Amino acid sequence: MKKIEATFIVNGNPYEIYVDSHALLIEVLRDELGCKLNGVHESCGSGDCGACTVLVDGEPILSCMTLAVSVRGKAITTIEGLAKGTELHPLQEAFVSNGAIQCGYCTPGMILSAKGLLDQNPNPSELEVKKALAGNLCRCTGYKKIIDAVLRVSKGGN
Amino acid sequence: MLYRKLYSFDYEEARDVPEAISLLQTHGTEAAVMAGGIGLIEEMKRRAVTPKVVVSLQPIDQLKFLDVSDGNLRIGALSKLSHGEQSNVVKEGFPALWEAIAQISSAQVRNMGTIVGNITACNPGSDVATALVALDASVKIADGNGGKCIPIKSFGVHSRKNILKPGEIVTEIIVPCLAPGAQTAFLNLARTKEDCAKVVVAVNARVTEGVIEDIKIALGAVAPTIVRATTVETMLLGEKPSEGLIQAASERASQENMVTPISDIRSTSQYRSQMVSVLTRRALTRVFQNHMN
């Protein structure tokens, strides 16, 4: 199979690589860019759990269900792109201070889905937060603290 | 790390519809067409389909539209479910369709999947397809030979099987604007909002001078394809809406010849049948509420 020359713009940085036509975005982000973006997690691999969520042009999508070649040239954001140096993003701060993290496996996807929502709608209702996070499964927290953390950021002015 | 990977295939991008048709005709049954991609990738991951070539429509700007013109809503093949969800034209002009789209699956899936892709998948429980059957939509197909336009209720031939032949693609869905005074309702029943529906009901009705002049009742997840409750429609046409009529019609709905629900992990056949009546009663009550004393 032929390799395709592609530029991926991830967290503001361009990466020019050759990618297999059948490579999934999650594989490229974790293994092919040379910077090991291991915050992108695979769990179900079938589009049900949301652990692999990243932002493409600001919208949450599932990186394990996306052909990498189909998003070349688009702005991709992973969890590694949120903090500025040692300063956490307000959503990351809120998840930590609110106890919205337990094992942490779902957290990158949760935070990116929440960022996708807040960037579009800075003051969502609780129902809107629930709807935006409906595609992200958490087996630890029971969701309440996660929803509270997102609402706290929205009210605190992100 | 071990991923649920895809096997290898070639990837081609079409720049316009003729090129897409040409690529698909060249590769015949070895090719698969990709719009949003999420349905295709899910099928490729479980090896339900194993194309040697994936032809992407994504660069075709002419398929990126969602607007009303000449009395019809036109939904281009690359309109995402999220575009429908965010569209005021859909929300205000086609409320049953909007309700069907806005509650599907997750935000991520709505950002990835297209409205046309939802239809071509021919899932018998498709919320969107059920709404579109009630709205009497048509499907426009490009085949490299002038194309054709067919009613959406004839598009699905069986569960997960549509009428498209190799080398054909759906380019748009055409939905007639609602007639003045028409009322619609969309209802579904699922374990969670993100899960596939057990039963779906969509109704499009118009009452003129106290009499039911037009009615379309579409039922999803109760047969291999989306079906119309035609005997119930015939029973209602020309009648005055009343609670008694709605009760009798909804009881008849589960007795329709076309209603042949299966038992699976989501429901039993018997429960689905009973819920056809319940949801039909609720939907009819909603569309007739302003016309009953």
Side-chain angles (χ1 to χ4, degrees):
Chain A
M1 290 300 127
K2 65 182 177 189
K3 294 253 187 184
I4 296 171
E5 188 177 4
T7 302
F8 294 97
I9 304 161
V10 184
N11 301 327
N13 301 314
Y15 298 85
E16 286 182 32
I17 60 168
Y18 283 90
V19 65
D20 286 326
S21 50
H22 62 277
L24 295 162
L25 180 57
I26 189 171
E27 299 173 61
V28 169
L29 293 172
R30 290 181 60 103
D31 298 337
E32 303 291 329
L33 298 181
C35 56
K36 291 268 172 201
L37 298 174
N38 289 343
V40 189
H41 294 162
E42 184 184 60
S43 184
C44 71
S46 56
D48 294 309
C49 75
C52 68
T53 301
V54 299
L55 302 181
V56 172
D57 290 342
E59 292 184 339
I61 60 109
L62 302 167
S63 63
C64 84
M65 302 296 284
T66 300
L67 281 190
V69 290
S70 72
V71 293
R72 57 194 197 275
K74 296 188 176 178
I76 301 163
T77 306
T78 71
I79 193 70
E80 289 87 350
L82 264 59
K84 291 175 185 150
T86 57
E87 184 191 339
L88 292 178
H89 184 278
L91 273 167
Q92 292 171 308
E93 286 280 7
F95 269 60
V96 173
S97 59
N98 228 60
I101 296 174
Q102 288 187 31
C103 87
Y105 200 81
C106 73
T107 309
M110 283 285 183
I111 289 180
L112 288 165
S113 283
K115 180 170 165 43
L117 170 69
L118 294 183
D119 287 349
Q120 294 292 317
N121 177 4
N123 284 300
S125 65
E126 183 172 339
L127 190 63
E128 287 170 326
V129 172
K130 286 181 177 175
K131 200 175 173 201
L133 299 183
N136 293 80
L137 301 186
C138 171
R139 301 290 82 168
C140 305
T141 68
Y143 300 105
K144 175 144 186 16
K145 291 184 174 184
I146 292 173
I147 292 159
D148 287 348
V150 178
L151 286 169
R152 188 163 145 180
V153 174
S154 65
K155 284 170 189 155
N158 182 11
Chain B
M1 180 165 167
L2 289 172
Y3 302 103
R4 285 191 63 195
K5 286 175 180 274
L6 296 176
Y7 64 89
S8 52
F9 50 79
D10 277 330
Y11 175 80
E12 304 265 13
E13 288 186 341
R15 284 160 296 180
D16 53 33
V17 173
E19 186 178 23
I21 302 291
S22 166
L23 283 166
L24 290 167
Q25 287 178 344
T26 302
H27 297 292
T29 55
E30 293 188 339
V33 64
M34 181 172 98
I38 188 161
L40 177 65
I41 290 171
E42 193 272 332
E43 288 187 326
M44 290 198 293
K45 277 195 172 182
R46 44 184 183 88
R47 306 298 192 261
V49 295
T50 53
K52 289 186 176 162
V53 183
V54 169
V55 176
S56 172
L57 307 180
Q58 289 180 3
I60 307 179
D61 287 336
Q62 299 97 306
L63 296 178
K64 296 172 185 167
F65 58 86
L66 179 66
D67 52 35
V68 169
S69 63
D70 297 332
N72 293 302
L73 174 70
R74 296 172 63 233
I75 305 170
L78 290 176
S79 285
K80 303 277 175 74
L81 291 158
S82 57
H83 296 150
E85 182 185 7
Q86 291 155 12
S87 161
N88 280 333
V89 169
V90 177
K91 188 173 185 179
E92 288 162 16
F94 305 84
L97 176 61
W98 185 83
E99 282 179 49
I101 290 172
Q103 52 84 56
I104 281 186
S105 192
S106 63
Q108 293 95 321
V109 170
R110 291 193 297 277
N111 285 334
M112 299 169 75
T114 62
I115 298 171
V116 167
N118 185 287
I119 301 309
T120 56
C122 282
N123 182 329
S126 164
D127 296 319
V128 178
T130 308
L132 287 171
V133 168
L135 295 173
D136 215 12
S138 303
V139 177
K140 197 169 173 184
I141 296 168
D143 54 10
N145 192 25
K148 55 197 162 191
C149 201
I150 63 156
I152 194 165
K153 62 180 164 45
S154 312
F155 180 74
V157 292
H158 205 270
S159 174
R160 304 189 182 280
K161 179 98 183 85
N162 61 43
I163 60 159
L164 291 178
K165 299 188 191 82
E168 295 183 343
I169 59 167
V170 174
T171 52
E172 68 180 86
I173 296 169
I174 300 166
V175 194
C177 289
L178 293 182
Q183 294 290 325
T184 61
F186 170 83
L187 291 169
N188 72 356
L189 187 66
R191 189 177 60 87
T192 70
K193 273 292 173 197
E194 294 72 45
D195 199 12
C196 287
K198 305 163 193 264
V199 174
V200 193
V201 175
V203 174
N204 177 9
R206 186 158 49 94
V207 176
T208 306
E209 293 174 0
V211 172
I212 302 166
E213 191 172 74
D214 189 20
I215 178 132
K216 296 181 183 71
I217 302 171
L219 306 174
V222 297
T225 62
I226 312 297
V227 295
R228 285 265 297 273
T230 46
T231 56
V232 179
E233 292 173 1
T234 308
M235 176 180 170
L236 290 167
L237 275 174
E239 299 291 329
K240 290 184 178 175
S242 68
E243 279 185 26
L245 181 69
I246 290 172
Q247 185 63 33
S250 50
E251 281 171 16
R252 178 77 70 84
S254 63
Q255 308 301 319
E256 287 269 0
N257 284 341
M258 299 291 278
V259 174
T260 53
I262 57 166
S263 294
D264 66 3
I265 54 167
R266 294 194 174 86
S267 265
T268 62
S269 165
Q270 186 189 9
Y271 181 74
R272 281 192 163 104
S273 276
Q274 288 174 355
M275 290 306 111
V276 166
S277 291
V278 171
L279 294 196
T280 302
R281 190 183 73 233
R282 291 178 187 168
L284 292 176
T285 304
R286 195 179 288 184
V287 295
F288 293 142
Q289 63 188 353
N290 294 333
H291 300 282
M292 290 192 293
N293 296 322

